[in-house]
Amino acid sequence: QQQVKQSPQSLIVQKGGISIINCAYENTAFDYFPWYQQFPGKGPALLIAIRPDVSEKKEGRFTISFNKSAKQFSLHIMDSQPGDSATYFCAASTLSGFQKLVFGTGTRLLVSP
Amino acid sequence: AAGVIQSPRHLIKEKRETATLKCYPIPRHDTVYWYQQGPGQDPQFLISFYEKMQSDKGSIPDRFSAQQFSDYHSELNMSSLELGDSALYFCASSSGRNDISYEQYFGPGTRLTVT
């Protein structure tokens, strides 16, 4: 059973467009939600993360929107560039103790030139 | 900035052989996590260590064991390898000594192929 559901599975966006990836979770104990970017054959790289006490966090072209009541969060990539083409994983964890990350199934993003 | 180091980067083993994967965390990081990622899959948590003690355990087969040493590096030992163990194995590290203890930084991974 996938604890974190991610959609879409793949996404094609024109250069300069906005990429939007959505995630939903069930476990209300989760209180830390990072996004990772992964290129083929490489390790996941931490992009941006949010805690449920805020509804939005922005870092450069990347924004996380968080809806605690709906148990959903999303990643927005503004002005998408071909170099953003990668697989993106949302994840969730609890901050009590040193807890494992539970990942979504991933979204393969292709930004066309 | 120093990152997580994993060795070897690639490993080819035959069925029923053993393998040892090594992870060197970011300096001053005291927590290590191991994840397994199959082709086209999301990373799955295996096991973690904090201050050389096992802190959490996921879907790690009994054939696998791991430990963290006094210098905080960790080793994942895999025995009686099966074809299904072929995957990317990632190590991640985090620091428990400040407010940003929950950020996990991943290494480049070890690609294990079992033939």
Side-chain angles (χ1 to χ4, degrees):
Chain A
Q1 181 182 359
Q2 194 73 27
Q3 292 190 57
V4 179
K5 296 181 180 179
Q6 183 171 347
S7 63
Q9 188 174 15
S10 61
L11 182 62
I12 299 175
V13 173
Q14 296 267 18
K15 179 182 175 181
I18 302 174
S19 304
I20 302 174
I21 304 171
N22 302 298
C23 283
Y25 64 98
E26 289 296 325
N27 188 349
T28 54
F30 288 146
D31 55 3
Y32 171 65
F33 304 90
W35 285 88
Y36 283 84
Q37 177 191 58
Q38 186 178 29
F39 294 102
K42 305 295 185 182
L46 179 62
L47 264 182
I48 186 172
I50 197 168
R51 295 199 60 189
D53 51 347
V54 296
S55 60
E56 186 174 282
K57 182 175 181 180
K58 182 176 181 179
E59 288 184 2
R61 296 185 295 111
F62 301 94
T63 299
I64 300 179
S65 297
F66 187 84
N67 185 328
K68 187 175 181 178
S69 60
K71 292 185 287 185
Q72 295 175 348
F73 58 109
S74 61
L75 176 69
H76 295 231
I77 306 175
M78 314 300 287
D79 187 26
S80 299
Q81 299 297 312
D84 296 331
S85 298
T87 299
Y88 292 80
F89 290 98
C90 63
S93 178
T94 58
L95 293 183
S96 56
F98 299 91
Q99 296 298 316
K100 60 182 178 288
L101 289 171
V102 178
F103 285 87
T105 49
T107 296
R108 184 171 291 186
L109 171 66
L110 176 64
V111 181
S112 58
Chain B
V4 176
I5 297 172
Q6 291 187 247
S7 67
R9 295 294 312 280
H10 303 272
L11 192 56
I12 300 175
K13 291 286 185 178
E14 294 187 355
K15 281 195 310 182
R16 293 180 289 278
E17 285 192 321
T18 61
T20 297
L21 279 54
K22 296 184 179 182
C23 168
Y24 297 86
I26 292 171
R28 292 179 296 282
H29 279 194
D30 49 21
T31 306
V32 168
Y33 308 79
W34 286 96
Y35 293 85
Q36 178 192 58
Q37 185 177 33
Q41 304 293 315
D42 54 291
Q44 295 290 317
F45 171 73
L46 292 177
I47 195 167
S48 62
F49 292 88
Y50 167 62
E51 285 289 349
K52 292 150 280 182
M53 299 288 289
Q54 181 181 308
S55 54
D56 198 2
K57 191 173 182 180
S59 50
I60 183 170
D62 292 340
R63 300 177 288 107
F64 294 6
S65 65
Q67 57 182 323
Q68 186 179 33
F69 295 86
S70 57
D71 63 351
Y72 296 106
H73 94 271
S74 178
E75 295 184 3
L76 177 66
N77 299 292
M78 311 161 71
S79 63
S80 303
L81 287 169
E82 302 174 356
L83 295 178
D85 295 329
S86 296
L88 271 169
Y89 289 84
F90 290 106
C91 170
S93 74
S94 68
S95 169
R97 298 177 188 167
N98 56 44
D99 291 337
I100 317 180
S101 63
Y102 40 86
E103 292 190 348
Q104 292 185 30
Y105 296 91
F106 282 72
T110 293
R111 182 176 294 280
L112 173 65
T113 302
V114 181
T115 62

